Amino acid sequence: MASLSSMFPRGLGQGASKHSLRAASTPLLASLAARRSHSLFQTRGIYADATGKTYERQGLVMTRIVCTIGPASEPQDVMQALADEGMKIGRLNFSHAVKYEEMSEKLKTFRGIKATHRRVGINFNLRGALLDTKGPEIRTGSFEGGVKHVEIPSGAEIILTTDPAWKDKGTAEKVYVDYGALGRTCKKGGNILLDDGIIKLEVIEPLHRTFHTANPAMPITETLCVVKNRNPVTLGARKGTNIPGAILELPALTERDKQDLQWGVENDVDFVAASFVRKAADVRSVIVHLERLMAKQKPTEANPRLVRPVVISKIENAEAITNFDEILAESDGIMVARGDLGVEVPFQDVFTAQKMMVKKCNDAGKPVIVATQMLDSMMRNPRPTRAEVSDVGNAVLDGADCVMLSGETAAGKYPVESVQAMRNCVVRADTTLDHPDEVTDPLSVLKRARSFTSPVRTSRPGLTSEELEAVALCTVVAASELQADLIIVLTTRGNFARAVAKHRPQIPVMVFCSELKVARQLQLFRGLFPVLPPNLQGATVEDIPEAIRTAKEIGWVKAGDKVVVSNYELWADAGIKQSMNLRVFPVQ
């Protein structure tokens, strides 16, 4: 066994200050760069062989796959197949009218599917459940006589009204919109988009008319528009409405969202995707509401400390992009929701916005999901297009922690094939990503993250984020330079595992957890593979042999492999309250 002190200068990772860390780094980095220059494409443990050919040992795929659960995937055998092919997170979409009984059945099936390593009898492949809220969106009303859609000629004038009397009596000339501030928000010459941007309207005049309403501050308005599509258009009932570039007067959470979150907390969902976030205050509102709900819950075996669901902010409009830095600072994670985003901003700006958001999430050490239409053609065809394959691969190369399937697994004809295709794309991109072609100063990652936002949060008494970051960085660097086959992290609350993931390790990280809730939530981070052993003593030195035996039993390592182990440990000695340790073991 090699200790931390044998690999790094004295003091590194043992309460070292940032000044001593920087001073010690110069000779270390020079040595590491020289050693790495001739070994870039040697075998990276369990991810690629010496020729660079990819393979997956016992299902280890670094980038996570999120699958939306719907009619096509809710049968138990299909959902099991999705898990076997690589699904790590299941998304429950609350955007449409839902029955909680049906959602409960979906979640029950999702929780009940077996893990990849069920034959070993170890609780691995712990999948997380994500509740995607409906959010404060704007929609049109229905049509008179129950008509499902109306035809509107090109160049025709149409009135958008906020008068509830027209909610179910719309016509081709007049349509209800459920946004009371429409008249104040629209500007003459501006655009209003209907049905995911398919129908483009130009505002001729926001007509403020006097009506008697229960809320004098929110008068009923009628907005005169003209259809700008070159051909006749078909408008269906209850279609989404977007006002590009406008600052909307909408709450962070609707009453419907609050009911859905209540269901989510009662059913122990692991993540909440907050839709249509526009500013930091929206994120805080969601977090505070969840904390109030959690305060009413009782501790369970799965969640003894009542850890709230992780809040993932969905970036779907121009206002959110403008306020992205403040949103990221308040959020636990980010989802690049390219569907509505592509309607709210010019479509040619979506990919640059995606790259910006992914990079900033990587810098801040917060997980990021890239979503929407990644393999959209596979809703109808058994093979993806070449452009879709490039889209998935580039998202991984940009630094996405997760890539998401929406309609492909919820309502498509080929849900299992879609996950297979996504996994194949992810594995190839991961292999490229984990064989860097240039030497990077590892401390630059730490400096960049500190310059953007606060370090990884920790609630441990006496433990500073500085110490956590230093040892996490050393763990990743040591594993890379020693050509280790696996990193093992022992954790109780997940803080140290998240700190390790922040530094983008090139080999898998087995996380020995003591709580089921923590293990599920760690699935959101690229490269982390949580395991919930039945006999964890508390993430101490005594647990290390068992952790290595478990990794060997599952098939992640074999005799002769090299393992880097890190853990945080409390001490009973009055003079030593805690320590953070890094060790290197050869597998026997």
Side-chain angles (χ1 to χ4, degrees):
M1 179 188 77
S3 66
L4 175 63
S5 59
S6 67
M7 294 180 292
F8 294 93
R10 181 179 178 85
L12 222 64
Q14 300 186 21
S17 69
K18 60 184 178 181
H19 302 292
S20 62
L21 185 64
R22 188 181 301 114
S25 67
T26 304
L28 169 65
L29 295 178
S31 172
L32 297 184
R35 289 172 52 193
R36 188 184 298 180
S37 62
H38 68 275
S39 62
L40 286 177
F41 289 94
Q42 291 182 3
T43 304
R44 301 302 298 179
I46 58 180
Y47 222 69
D49 62 20
T51 65
K53 180 181 178 181
T54 63
Y55 68 99
E56 303 162 68
R57 178 184 293 184
Q58 299 296 333
L60 289 171
V61 180
M62 298 286 277
T63 301
R64 301 291 122 105
I65 298 176
V66 183
C67 297
T68 302
I69 307 301
S73 53
E74 58 189 22
Q76 192 275 339
D77 58 334
V78 178
M79 207 178 296
Q80 180 64 63
L82 298 186
D84 291 341
E85 294 299 336
M87 173 180 65
K88 289 294 188 294
I89 297 172
R91 172 178 173 252
L92 301 173
N93 188 6
F94 280 69
S95 294
H96 307 290
V98 298
K99 296 180 179 179
Y100 291 134
E101 297 81 7
E102 295 178 357
M103 283 296 183
S104 296
E105 283 299 315
K106 290 180 182 179
L107 183 58
K108 181 180 179 181
T109 304
F110 178 76
R111 294 293 194 207
I113 55 180
K114 304 298 183 181
T116 300
H117 294 278
R118 51 189 178 273
R119 61 179 178 77
V120 182
I122 296 171
N123 203 350
F124 163 63
N125 255 11
L126 304 158
R127 288 160 300 281
L130 185 152
L131 188 160
D132 198 332
T133 65
K134 181 178 185 291
E137 60 183 356
I138 305 173
R139 288 190 175 271
T140 62
S142 302
F143 299 109
E144 189 174 21
V147 176
K148 293 184 178 180
H149 54 78
V150 296
E151 300 290 333
I152 306 176
S154 175
E157 292 186 351
I158 182 173
I159 293 176
L160 302 182
T161 180
T162 62
D163 186 354
W166 285 82
K167 186 175 181 179
D168 300 313
K169 297 181 179 179
T171 66
E173 293 78 30
K174 195 169 186 176
V175 176
Y176 171 74
V177 175
D178 62 357
Y179 177 49
L182 183 67
R184 290 201 299 269
T185 304
C186 295
K187 295 181 180 180
K188 185 175 182 179
N191 291 324
I192 298 177
L193 305 177
L194 307 179
D195 195 5
D196 290 333
I198 295 176
I199 301 175
K200 182 179 181 180
L201 307 179
E202 182 179 308
V203 177
I204 298 177
E205 193 70 46
L207 305 176
H208 296 268
R209 300 181 180 178
T210 303
F211 293 88
H212 294 289
T213 66
N215 182 5
M218 193 71 73
I220 290 173
T221 62
E222 296 188 344
T223 303
L224 182 62
C225 303
V226 62
V227 177
K228 300 299 289 184
N229 296 65
R230 293 187 176 183
N231 299 309
V233 295
T234 300
L235 176 62
R238 300 288 301 155
K239 293 300 181 181
T241 302
N242 299 85
I243 310 175
I247 297 178
L248 303 178
E249 300 175 26
L250 292 172
L253 289 171
T254 65
E255 289 304 314
R256 158 76 183 280
D257 292 332
K258 292 178 181 179
Q259 295 173 10
D260 294 343
L261 292 181
Q262 176 72 45
W263 178 92
V265 166
E266 292 174 352
N267 287 273
D268 196 28
V269 298
D270 306 294
F271 314 99
V272 166
S275 297
F276 299 104
V277 166
R278 302 181 304 280
K279 52 188 179 298
D282 294 344
V283 186
R284 290 194 291 270
S285 294
V286 176
I287 291 176
V288 168
H289 186 74
L290 285 171
E291 289 174 343
R292 291 193 179 112
L293 293 176
M294 292 302 301
K296 300 176 183 178
Q297 302 301 305
K298 295 182 179 180
T300 64
E301 183 179 355
N303 192 8
R305 293 183 296 108
L306 293 178
V307 177
R308 66 164 173 81
V310 167
V311 174
I312 302 168
S313 297
K314 295 174 65 177
I315 307 302
E316 304 179 82
N317 49 60
E319 186 179 356
I321 292 178
T322 301
N323 299 328
F324 183 74
D325 286 3
E326 67 175 51
I327 291 173
L328 177 58
E330 296 292 338
S331 304
D332 299 320
I334 295 292
M335 181 185 292
V336 184
R338 303 179 303 179
D340 281 281
L341 186 61
V343 177
E344 289 279 341
V345 304
F347 60 81
Q348 66 270 21
D349 293 340
V350 172
F351 74 92
T352 55
Q354 172 181 320
K355 289 180 179 295
M356 176 273 291
M357 288 185 276
V358 170
K359 182 180 184 300
K360 287 189 174 183
C361 287
N362 288 172
D363 290 349
K366 295 189 177 182
V368 55
I369 304 172
V370 175
T372 315
Q373 295 182 328
M374 301 214 78
L375 298 178
D376 185 66
S377 70
M378 292 195 73
M379 290 188 66
R380 302 164 296 278
N381 304 314
R383 288 173 59 86
T385 67
R386 283 43 166 185
E388 289 168 341
V389 170
S390 295
D391 184 32
V392 174
N394 279 312
V396 175
L397 295 179
D398 286 344
D401 290 85
C402 307
V403 285
M404 193 176 93
L405 295 168
S406 301
E408 300 93 334
T409 54
K413 294 172 63 177
Y414 304 98
V416 178
E417 290 85 351
S418 296
V419 181
Q420 289 174 339
M422 172 124 357
R423 186 199 64 211
N424 291 338
C425 297
V426 163
V427 168
R428 171 55 69 184
D430 273 335
T431 307
T432 302
L433 191 66
D434 292 334
H435 284 85
D437 57 1
E438 61 181 19
V439 177
T440 303
D441 177 356
L443 294 184
S444 66
V445 181
L446 185 60
K447 181 187 295 185
R448 191 168 66 245
R450 286 175 180 157
S451 67
F452 180 75
T453 188
S454 60
V456 175
R457 300 170 185 169
T458 174
S459 57
R460 287 291 194 187
L463 175 65
T464 68
S465 294
E466 181 79 23
E467 293 162 346
L468 191 77
E469 292 279 0
V471 181
L473 174 63
C474 291
T475 299
V476 174
V477 173
S480 175
E481 297 310 318
L482 296 175
Q483 295 290 298
D485 297 273
L486 185 70
I487 296 172
I488 296 179
V489 171
L490 286 76
T491 184
T492 54
R493 303 191 180 192
N495 290 324
F496 189 45
R498 285 186 283 268
V500 170
K502 175 179 180 178
H503 298 293
R504 317 300 286 182
Q506 297 173 3
I507 60 173
V509 181
M510 172 178 148
V511 185
F512 236 42
C513 300
S514 59
E515 295 180 15
L516 178 57
K517 188 71 170 182
V518 171
R520 288 173 178 166
Q521 291 184 340
L522 290 177
Q523 288 286 15
L524 193 63
F525 293 80
R526 180 186 187 274
L528 298 189
F529 297 87
V531 173
L532 193 69
N535 53 351
L536 184 67
Q537 301 300 312
T540 64
V541 172
E542 287 73 20
D543 292 305
I544 293 177
E546 178 60 24
I548 296 176
R549 282 193 293 268
T550 300
K552 189 175 179 180
E553 183 180 11
I554 292 177
W556 291 353
V557 292
K558 61 185 185 301
D561 286 346
K562 191 180 299 180
V563 175
V564 173
V565 182
S566 291
N567 74 302
Y568 167 84
E569 186 176 357
L570 291 172
W571 290 61
D573 189 295
I576 307 175
K577 293 185 178 181
Q578 74 255 335
S579 68
M580 302 187 69
N581 310 303
L582 191 160
R583 299 173 173 86
V584 180
F585 293 91
V587 179
Q588 301 299 322

